[in-house]
Amino acid sequence: MTTTAPSIAPDAAMIEKVARDVVTAHPPRDVPLTELMGAWYDAGLTWVHFPEGLGGLRAPRSLQPVANRVMREAGGPEPRTVNTIGYGIVAGTIRRYASPEQASRLLRPLATGEEKWCQLFSEPSAGSDLAGLATRAVQETGDAVTPGGGDWIVNGQKVWTSLAHTSRWAVLLARTDPDVPKHKGLTYFILDMTTPGVEVRPLRQLTGRAQFNEVFLDNVRIPDAQRFGAVGEGWIVANSTLGDERTSLGDRVPARGSGVIADALALWQAHPERHTPVLRERLTRLWIRAETHRLTSDRTRVAAATQATAGPGSAVTKLVGSELTQHVYEFCMELLGPAGTLIDTYSPDAPDDESGPTAIQRKYLRSRATTLEGGTSEIQRNVIGERVLKLPQEPRADKKIPWRDVPR
């Protein structure tokens, strides 16, 4: 059965019908994931606000939860978990900057999870100061057919690259002109991770798992056709990617009382012998913060539905959500007492962090990364101060100095 896109402007009822047609023709519990997500993409339900033929229906972005709800009710996955970075961070950049041929080639396998993506931005000496990165890309001389349009040769090192060890593609920010200020000499590429010269080394985390990586680039060749945006304007492209990243991390709007606060509530109910007035007050305050975050995230999500790119408000929900997660699991550890120091597995092959008798302990360990990944809390506070509250920018002594001359 082939599910076809509607011929008139979609509304919620139409999105729901198309979604139900897909899960009826491709029952999530009975068909391979790639078949299900391929049908989802072909029906225009992956990103409903994208153009037809590219996983969307040109519908209002606010209708995406309608489609996702139908998927969940049918027993399917939360779509973005199929390819976390691809869905939440990369797809929007592809839509804005790729050629139609590139978008058609890249988006469907991204949506089905057949080709995972990662983000090659952070570097050992330029994590939070992304514009200070040192990975170099030098263009070879072109030929008679494409003068000045030769391949780029990339050398450098990236770090904290989530899921690089499972990724086929990456978005890459590299320095192409060291003689101009640091924000102006950057160029944005997409990189096939199977290209010779790409080496991925997993980094072990507190949990025992290895989700982050170092990536070494040794004379990696990238065709000029895999450049997004103009040479030297990579900072502009990167900011669109980072905006999508903040939105992706901050717009996950759980139902009231669910999400991380649900873990704290369940633990509280399971251990009445540990109740104290002090812990009760802390749990109450955490619940209020969780509810405030949920409502703010929902408001940000609705506002984003009418914008072409993510607004700076997403930095608020990212900041509050990541710090709330840490505070909730710190509360859980205190409630558990000495039992919080016990853990049942410490394996890089652990299937997930969501189950088992000591899942709370593993979630606590994992939560330490939430204020680092996707931009540190310090960076989010800068974004909020300068772009949301319009406060004076922090002094930047190197803003007009050629990157080559910046002390480091």
Side-chain angles (χ1 to χ4, degrees), residues 131 133 135-138 152 174-187 231-233 401-404:
L133 61 82
T135 291
R136 287 294 313 276
V138 177
W152 294 83
R175 186 163 303 284
T176 50
D177 187 351
D179 296 320
V180 297
K182 61 182 183 180
H183 291 86
K184 297 182 178 179
L186 302 170
T187 301
V231 175
E233 295 186 1
I401 301 175
W403 177 83
R404 190 189 295 279

Side-chain angles (χ1 to χ4, degrees), residues 268 271-282 334-335:
W268 174 263
H271 294 279
E273 77 282 4
R274 297 183 184 277
H275 291 188
T276 68
V278 172
L279 288 175
R280 183 185 297 278
E281 180 179 344
R282 283 186 59 191
E334 186 168 342
L335 181 62

